[in-house]
Amino acid sequence: MPEYKTLQTRLIHSGSPRPRVHGAVVTPIFQSANYEQADPESYAAVTYMRLNNTPNHQVLARKIAAIEGTEAATVAASGMAAITAALLSILGQGDHLLVQQTVYGGTRTFLTQDAPRFGITHTDIDPLDADSWEAALVPGTKAIYVEGVSNPLLGVGDLPKIVAFAQDHGLITLIDNTFLSPVLFRPAQIGIDIILHSATKYLNGHSDIVAGVIAGNAAHIEAAVHQLNHLGGSLDSHACFLLERGMKTLSLRVGYQAASAQRVAEALTRHPAIDQVIYPGLPEHPAHKLAVELFDGFGAMVSFRAKDGDVASRFVEAVQIPVHAASLGGVESLVVQPSRSTHLGMPPAERRAAGITDDLVRVSVGIEDTDELIADLLRALDSATSTS
Ligand SMILES: *Cc1c(COP(=O)(O)O)cnc(C)c1O
């Protein structure tokens, strides 16, 4: 395998089979569930679609490890398949996890509703308040789980301190880095052990598959793959093909989207219908300095608080370019009012306590023309206020 130096080049070339399969420039779809056994003595030589080890899976695993800078990686059927397999591969009966207060809803529900049935408990921590972490430790604490930029309030934790704290206490660190993607942040570089993605979002980028990623050292990935094989969260070959294709443009897309998001955030700040714009690229963001130090950009998710919930509701109906839909990270911009969509299932009191009030709007900035997008957002805000 040739060595490629930069992320941009690795996204295109790393992991592709050499020699090429029949000379094919693009990895073909291997639509075969099972494979002739090469070495009858070794289970590792058994190739089977559920084991995520067909040629399509292997190309992705190598490409992802190359861009994350980790020894190994695997793909999974969804972000949640990656997250649950990774957690269950390191936690068992009696184990305890420290978790950033606001994490993706599916992750939170797994930790509150499912993990306790396996004897796994957790304590929420404020990822910016290092002095408070020690008190959350219990004898069974084994790992610490954070998100690079959290959903939907775009919080950023003090990641270098979290890594140092984990090393002091022998904890495994896990990060869900979906919102930033490896283009803007490669957590292995600061010593985070296990990196997770919903590849449904930026890695694929076209809102047409669900997929997940786990990256880390060889031992962690071997354990996670073992768990994933039992849970059955394999990625279909056709989805592998689409993910590989999507990843080739990751750096172009995310670079453009993040630059666009910065301008969107600045433009929204000036609109009278908005009380607060939340974006790590704005100096008033509580972790702006950390984000500048750690990341190569601030991502393409922008949240804001409108004057009230009705303005927020009218805004998401009034936009013409973004689609009013959940999920994120695709080429098309999306808007959502989290309290009435992604976080609707959360008990209202808990939701409000988490800061997910009705006035909150989350924008996933796509690759449309920035000026045209901003004009549409501002027009929608005008019309959302004029009718009130
Ligand atoms: C979407 C998302 C997930 C879940 O991913 P799926 O691919 O939908 O299973 C996990 N974490 C974050 C931050 C997400 O945005």
Side-chain angles (χ1 to χ4, degrees):
M1 284 279 165
E3 280 289 323
Y4 303 105
K5 292 191 188 64
T6 60
L7 183 118
Q8 172 68 38
T9 305
R10 287 176 184 168
L11 282 167
I12 308 299
H13 294 293
S14 288
S16 302
R18 295 289 186 277
R20 296 175 197 282
V21 182
H22 291 281
V25 172
V26 170
T27 317
I29 300 173
F30 288 81
Q31 197 69 51
S32 180
N34 47 348
Y35 290 73
E36 215 170 22
Q37 191 162 351
D39 173 2
E41 301 298 315
S42 156
Y43 183 68
V46 174
T47 304
Y48 183 52
M49 214 182 269
R50 177 167 49 76
L51 305 180
N52 284 298
N53 64 358
T54 74
N56 289 111
H57 296 103
Q58 286 170 348
V59 169
L60 283 167
R62 290 192 296 258
K63 193 187 287 292
I64 290 157
I67 61 170
E68 291 285 2
T70 53
E71 281 176 6
T74 188
V75 287
S78 65
M80 283 311 300
I83 291 165
T84 52
L87 286 170
L88 290 173
S89 73
I90 56 171
L91 300 170
Q93 186 68 41
D95 290 338
H96 174 258
L97 181 71
L98 301 182
V99 185
Q100 176 167 343
Q101 277 154 352
T102 56
V103 287
Y104 179 73
T107 307
R108 168 131 327 267
T109 315
F110 173 73
L111 290 172
T112 53
Q113 293 178 13
D114 303 313
R117 290 191 284 115
F118 301 104
I120 301 164
T121 55
H122 73 277
T123 301
D124 290 343
I125 55 158
D126 176 346
L128 275 177
D129 184 8
D131 294 336
S132 69
W133 303 336
E134 186 110 29
L137 291 170
V138 301
T141 307
K142 214 162 161 193
I144 183 160
Y145 185 102
V146 295
E147 291 183 356
V149 168
S150 70
N151 176 38
L153 293 172
L154 311 182
V156 176
D158 195 333
L159 303 175
K161 281 197 188 146
I162 283 170
V163 170
F165 177 82
Q167 281 164 356
D168 286 349
H169 296 91
L171 309 179
I172 299 168
T173 42
L174 301 101
I175 191 167
D176 177 343
N177 197 38
T178 299
F179 272 38
L180 287 167
S181 93
V183 172
L184 303 180
F185 181 47
R186 290 152 306 280
Q189 288 178 348
I190 66 158
I192 290 182
D193 297 311
I194 299 178
I195 298 131
L196 304 157
H197 287 281
S198 167
T200 310
K201 316 295 167 54
Y202 292 101
L203 287 172
N204 179 59
H206 293 75
S207 313
D208 50 12
I209 59 165
V210 291
V213 160
I214 314 172
N217 71 24
H220 280 143
I221 296 308
E222 194 187 326
V225 163
H226 197 70
Q227 185 65 68
L228 192 59
N229 290 347
H230 294 171
L231 296 172
S234 55
L235 192 62
D236 164 74
S237 306
H238 190 246
C240 287
F241 170 86
L242 288 173
L243 178 55
E244 187 185 342
R245 181 166 78 167
M247 280 178 63
K248 290 177 185 173
T249 56
L250 179 67
S251 144
L252 295 180
R253 285 185 282 109
V254 170
Y256 181 91
Q257 284 168 286
S260 208
Q262 179 78 38
R263 287 193 47 215
V264 166
E266 287 166 5
L268 293 177
T269 305
R270 292 187 287 272
H271 198 281
I274 289 184
D275 272 347
Q276 185 196 7
V277 178
I278 306 168
Y279 183 66
L282 295 178
E284 55 268 33
H285 186 281
H288 175 65
K289 275 211 185 97
L290 262 171
V292 170
E293 276 166 37
L294 290 170
F295 308 149
D296 295 330
F298 307 106
M301 300 300 294
V302 179
S303 293
F304 67 83
R305 292 191 192 284
K307 284 282 170 228
D308 58 49
D310 292 337
V311 171
S313 298
R314 284 195 294 267
F315 168 80
V316 298
E317 295 305 328
V319 291
Q320 284 174 355
I321 292 176
V323 184
H324 179 193
S327 197
L328 60 119
V331 292
E332 57 289 297
S333 294
L334 306 176
V335 293
V336 82
Q337 192 179 1
S339 71
R340 294 188 185 157
S341 149
T342 52
H343 292 70
L344 191 58
M346 210 169 162
E350 206 179 300
R351 195 166 62 214
R352 279 191 295 274
I356 302 160
T357 41
D358 289 347
D359 54 3
L360 186 72
V361 175
R362 191 190 77 180
V363 184
S364 172
V365 176
I367 63 167
E368 299 94 344
D369 178 80
T370 311
D371 292 321
E372 191 177 355
L373 176 64
I374 289 173
D376 184 46
L377 297 175
L378 297 180
R379 183 203 48 77
L381 279 167
D382 288 343
S383 88
T385 26
S386 67
T387 46
S388 64

